[in-house]
Structures are given as C-alpha cells and as structure tokens.
Amino acid sequence: SQQGEEDPQALSIQEGENATMNCSYKTSINNLQWYRQNSGRGLVHLILIRSNEREKHSGRLRVTLDTSKKSSSLLITASRAADTASYFCATGSGNTPLVFGKGTRLSVIA
Amino acid sequence: DADVTQTPRNRITKTGKRIMLECSQTKGHDRMYWYRQDPGLGLRLIYYSFDVKDINKGEISDGYSVSRQAQAKFSLSLESAIPNQTALYFCATSRDSPSSYNEQFFGPGTRLTVL
C-alpha cells in the first residue's frame, strides 16, 4: 500500500503566489523525496531530505520534515505558470524501493 | 539523448494478447523498476530488480512478469492483457545501495490501452 498521502489533491493559485503541498506518511523513514510530473510525462526528482534534517532549500523550493508528526511540506515560492504539474512525495526506508504517494495537482494561473 | 528510454510510447491492444514493454538505460545504474500510474492512484510498483540476477515483486505484480536481460535492459510483459491493465507505465532506474537514498530517474512512459 502507498506510504505517502499528499494534501491537497489539487491546488489552484495565481502566478506569483506561494504554493504549499503536504505529505503525511505512516511508518519510519530514512528519507523523503519530492518529484514533479508534467502532464503524462515521467517524474523528475526535485529534492531529498533525510530523516535527521528538518528543512532544506533548493532555488524556489523549500522542504520541511517533521518526523514526530510523520509529515513533510513542499513550498514553491513566487510560482510561475511553468510550475503547473503534479507533485509527488516518495518515502524511503531501509534498502527497499521508494514508495510514492498519489500526488497533488498544482495549477498556476497566469 | 534520453538516459532512460521506453518502447513503445503508445500501444493499443486487445484483451488476451501478449504485450511486452521495453526499457533501456544508459545511466549505468544497477537498479531498475516498473511502475504503473492510474488517475488518482499515483504510482504503484509492479516489479523491481537490484541487479541482473535479481527480480522482486512489487505491490501489484499479479498479471505481469519481467525479464532483466542485461544491466541496461528491463522488460515488462503482460501475458494475457485485460482491460484493467490500461494505464501509463513507467520504467525507472537508480544507483546501487542504499537505494532508498538515491533518486530515481524515470523514462517517458508507455501509454497502454487494452480494449
């Protein structure tokens, strides 16, 4: 069964606004990753945060991880129309494959 | 050139037909994966392989089989396709252990329709 659950399922914002997506998971992890998928295309890795990290930045992306609450958030600042995509969290533990959530569909309106 | 390629990109077939989806990679990664994506269900793991001699079932392996012909090639077969196997199929690769720390690289996907 899937480990991560993204929230909300869909999000629509105006260009220039910030977009926040959340991911909750159920079991212990050693890292959490975020991926982006443009419509019908393969997923692309965005950022990885380890279980001993609380926050990580990459360009306009900010990821937080709260292992006590088993949750993570992805913030995209100053969103652009080109950020329109689906965003997935994926959890990693041990030497097993990543487990992906169902995704959040983000629409950025110009 | 794409690092992870999938063929075919689109396929329409009929119930009961045998179908093979192929994946090739030039990234030199040992680990390869097959996922299917259905609307609203995200990605679900079908099979994965950590090296040429290793094959493991994923969450939804029933009705599927795989073959790891070489480090660079990992094929997914549907022995007798059924309509509920209509989906978008992705191949992915990652470096060696610990695999959970390594990002996965995805192919462009194969859209399969079973009539």
Side-chain angles (χ1 to χ4, degrees):
Chain A
S1 62
Q2 282 158 317
Q3 164 78 300
E5 288 285 339
E6 291 90 341
D7 172 60
Q9 291 185 352
L11 178 62
S12 183
I13 60 174
Q14 296 290 325
E15 201 167 33
E17 294 181 339
N18 295 341
T20 300
M21 289 158 269
N22 302 296
C23 172
S24 60
Y25 58 92
K26 298 174 183 175
T27 61
S28 296
I29 63 172
N30 57 27
N31 77 100
L32 187 144
Q33 302 179 29
W34 285 90
Y35 287 76
R36 166 192 168 126
Q37 182 185 32
N38 287 5
S39 181
R41 304 185 70 173
L43 279 69
V44 175
H45 180 264
L46 294 176
I47 195 166
L48 179 153
I49 186 165
R50 295 177 180 245
S51 59
N52 61 355
E53 298 175 314
R54 291 296 167 257
E55 187 171 313
K56 203 162 183 181
H57 297 254
S58 177
R60 292 185 296 113
L61 305 179
R62 171 178 169 255
V63 170
T64 63
L65 179 64
D66 187 335
T67 53
S68 66
K69 295 182 179 178
K70 292 186 169 59
S71 67
S72 173
S73 67
L74 171 66
L75 169 68
I76 304 174
T77 60
S79 62
R80 306 165 182 168
D83 294 327
T84 294
S86 292
Y87 292 83
F88 294 86
C89 68
T91 53
S93 61
N95 195 30
T96 55
L98 295 175
V99 179
F100 288 82
K102 298 179 181 180
T104 292
R105 293 190 312 278
L106 173 66
S107 298
V108 181
I109 302 166
Chain B
D1 290 337
D3 293 324
V4 184
T5 58
Q6 293 183 233
T7 56
R9 294 293 311 279
N10 291 281
R11 181 72 182 267
I12 300 173
T13 191
K14 295 182 178 179
T15 297
K17 294 292 187 180
R18 183 179 187 275
I19 297 297
M20 179 179 286
L21 309 182
E22 299 188 357
C23 177
S24 294
Q25 54 112 348
T26 58
K27 300 191 76 66
H29 290 169
D30 287 324
R31 304 196 171 197
M32 299 186 73
Y33 312 84
W34 275 104
Y35 294 92
R36 68 175 277 176
Q37 184 177 33
D38 301 274
L41 294 180
L43 270 73
R44 292 182 292 168
L45 183 64
I46 306 172
Y47 271 95
Y48 63 100
S49 170
F50 281 178
D51 64 42
V52 175
K53 297 180 181 179
D54 177 73
I55 299 289
N56 303 280
K57 292 183 177 180
E59 180 187 352
I60 53 162
S61 59
D62 287 349
Y64 301 94
S65 63
V66 291
S67 173
R68 184 79 185 268
Q69 302 96 321
Q71 186 203 38
K73 297 184 182 296
F74 193 34
S75 300
L76 176 71
S77 293
L78 288 68
E79 296 302 324
S80 180
I82 56 177
N84 76 1
Q85 291 177 313
T86 293
L88 189 53
Y89 289 83
F90 289 103
C91 174
T93 72
S94 70
R95 290 188 300 272
D96 208 344
S97 63
S99 66
S100 64
Y101 281 104
N102 295 326
E103 66 178 278
Q104 291 187 5
F105 296 83
F106 283 79
T110 294
R111 188 169 296 280
L112 176 66
T113 303
V114 183
L115 302 176

